[in-house]
Amino acid sequence: MIRPLTLVFGTLCLVFALASCGNQPGRGLVMKSITSGALKKNQAPANADMPSQQELEANISHALANSDKRLSIVVIEKRDSFSFLTEISQNGPIRTWASPDRRTLSTSSGLIVATRGLGFDLMSASLPGSKALVTSRKAGQAQRVLRYLDGENQKQELRFSCRVSRGKPQKIAIGEIRASTITMTESCRSSGASFENTYLVDGRGRIVQSRQWLGAENSYIFWQKLRH
Amino acid sequence: MRKTSTIFGIALTTALPGALTSEGMTSEAVNMYGLPGGLVDMPTAETAPDAQLTTSFSYFGGTTKSQLNFQLTPRLSGTFRYAAIRGLDVPGYTLASYYDRSFDLHYRLLDETKWRPAVAFGLRDLLGTGLYGGEYIVATKSLGDKVRVTGGIGWGRLGSYNTIGQMGVRPTDTLGSGGVPNYDRWFRGDVAPFAGISYQHDDKLSFALEYSSDAYTREDADGVFEHRSPFNFGVRYRYSDSVSFGAYYMHGSELGVNVSFALNPRRSPVEGSSDTAPQPVAVRDARSARDLGWTLEPDSKPRLELRLSRALAQEGIVLEALRLDGRSAEALIRNERYDVEAQAVGRTMRVMSRVLPASVETLEVTQSSNGMPLGSVSLARTDLEQLEFSPSEAVLERVSFSADTRAGDLTPLDSAYPRFSWHLGPQVKLSVFDPDSPVRADLLAIAEGQYHFGPGWVASGSVNYKLAGNLDGLSPNRTGVQPVNPPHKVRSDARLYAEGRGPKIDHLTLAKYGRLGDNIYGRMTFGYLEQMYAGISGEILWKQPTNRLALGAELNYVAQRDFDQRFGLQDYKIATGHLSAYYDLGNGFHTQLDVGRYLAGDWGATLSLDREFGNGWRIGAYATFTDLEFERFGEGSFDKGIRITMPLSWALGNSTKRSTQTTLQSLTRDGGARLNVNGRLYDTVRETHGADMAKTWGRFWR
């Protein structure tokens, strides 16, 4: 689903095994360490990887037909590419979802508590307050803690104060999901960052669609359940 | 771990994300001397952000300088410089340019407060010839966000223009054969003031104006350039986080330019790496944990070994052996991918949770290197299941680290031995600081292979063929201080070893690795050990898994090899060896002391200090003092150098065990020279021990 970040760095090519050293315009001595797909994407106009509405619907029915597992579709907004996620495991309340290229997201009642394989991954999260408010469709205040690794593999903890509020009702029909939802908004703030997550929550407290913040680097992910 | 060695590597840059945190008064700009600061030639009390590594190249008035600055601590930085001055008149020197190496230290004494300026002092060219020798005390105060004002006083070169007084007499004789601290000159002789102001227009653009106290007396007298004015003007443009350019009008007569490349090992281009996701932990249901029925099935163990080794292979991990009983399991693994060992252990345990029968409650992972079991980590499977989405320190509290020898008794899997690995590829050997040609290089084609007969037994060889290059043109040392009655040429014949295309045998050895006790590791290597020496080398290492101190001993008996690097040997034979103490100082600093006999038969000690980062970067320095007199050693007086290890995973964003090691040695001489044998134990062993693994434990769940 998600491609490693495009890295651009220069080096005096001391390591010969890195045969891809070269002189690129505007960057001096530059080496690119990227997957070929990511390179293609950078050169193409924005949204090139995003299919049309019909293509998307065809993709979705195809994916549903080929699996009997829980299924979602996600878009990392910064990367303009979508992927299907299949539920691959469950540990207590936490479900882990994987893309075909081995990137995973883990959710607790639909709130993202970990990512793996994106780079700048969310290593773990504590958000019981937000979870309780969002899934019960109630307004209120909550704290959440998001944990990352820094450049030296040390834990980096961000603590947020959040305000959850209730918005408009909305009907959703995508994949096998048919639901009447309420839009819940969670606005969070810390000394260094702030974000706003939105969730569409059905009558049984299930999040069927959401837009959630993964971290400063990966920013927002859009998440749509296709099958409960 | 495969390491690509180079003699010299200077510029490494990267586009780094993230904002800087300020630690006192910092500046990412460097001046013409490669020192962090916003002026032109003059120092300021600014420092670079902690751990910043800045390479810079500057040119003005016939002088080219290449410089490497490292902010060792938030207050202390060091600068290594290689300068070429065209037209300087040096007695006995026939080349068009005079080449000079120098080293500076800069220390910030006081931080800036609301009313007080930051204050720093520094020693410029504190070793060696003293061509750039000068000391200073300097204060810098910021006025608002954009303006910084600097004033200071200088000695030596920095006290040479418009002298206002004198503090004693500054001697001019060089101590030893150069390369020793010129402590008798520091802060002595003429004193002169200097000052400057810098203005940061925006993120990209800054300006500087300074009054320089350096009269450039010698350059002016020799006609290198004409010093007409003490005023210098500069403009600096920051192209990106890592690359900056500067342009200057200097001393009323010259234009100057400067380009700098900065990187910071504390920040990674991809934090936490972009490796694919690990396998999720499989959670057992409560009832199945009691079921021991599987143990009665006759072929259950081979079946599980196969499944486990296939699943681990997908993670780049090799299963060498498995101990399995009803309640516990120990996997002996070889990690060929992850430079952070905690990640290899975490992934192995995740896979074990998915493959092993539910009754197995204790999971143990032991790492193997060269067939020798190293450190072990064990954890209750219940904890693994319950803590999968908890912060990593929760699981760190539950694991236990050990390094017992039991894993050595396990029967290896059939697939583990014998095995052969090989590699073909190009390699570059570099040499710098040769007076005729500052950079020399050979391009080699290399073929190398390793054959593992059984646990601990390794035959290894490497052959190279020169494709192109000019290392054989290394000039005999014609300048500088000539050694008096020098020792046998144990290292300084590098030119002769570089002659001819080959094929040459780099090394061809048989080695045995093994455990000699719970905390004792051993190595014995026999054969053509390295480019210049053949013989036998034995080593033992004592290291406890959680102790900061480790002790080692190495004893070698070697003969010098023929220059053609085939099978022949020369007459020079020597017993050499060291006792070593390794100590983890904490806060990322590590030190090592080696005491013993060096290749030329000289006795002495090497002291080294490295700053080690949680992502594998290491930056350090070493110095070797032996009983060889300074006159016999020759220019430089004693061996010393700077060394840098860059992990390739840091640059690539993916786990890999490869790294590049660079040593900037002031001069390759014959005193204080050590044997270069492959497979030294300490670094391999410590990586798998609890004390080291705990430093990067965050990667356990990655």
Side-chain angles (χ1 to χ4, degrees), chain A residues 7 9-10 12 14-17 26 33 89 91 102-104 106 116-117 119-121 147 151-155, chain B residues 9 13 239 268-269 271 274-275 277 280 315 385 388-389 393 428 613-615 651-652 658 660 695 699 701-702:
Chain A
L7 300 181
F9 66 95
L12 267 194
L14 289 165
V15 189
F16 223 74
S33 157
S89 94
N91 185 348
R102 279 194 73 180
R103 320 282 160 182
T104 63
S106 300
R116 292 292 184 272
F120 303 92
D121 281 312
R147 301 182 197 93
E152 289 195 78
N153 293 311
Q154 304 298 307
K155 188 182 73 176
Chain B
T13 83
Y239 173 75
S268 283
E271 288 167 4
S274 53
D275 291 343
E315 308 286 326
E385 291 167 353
E388 185 183 5
F389 294 99
E393 60 268 21
V428 174
F613 296 86
N615 47 31
L652 296 171
R658 298 186 60 177
T660 67
K695 293 177 189 168
R699 289 287 277 271
W701 288 125
R702 179 66 187 81

Side-chain angles (χ1 to χ4, degrees), chain B residues 516-534:
Chain B
L516 308 170
D518 270 357
N519 295 311
I520 302 177
Y521 304 78
R523 169 186 62 82
M524 183 71 83
T525 312
F526 173 78
Y528 295 86
L529 302 172
E530 54 138 308
Q531 185 191 28
M532 299 188 193
Y533 290 91

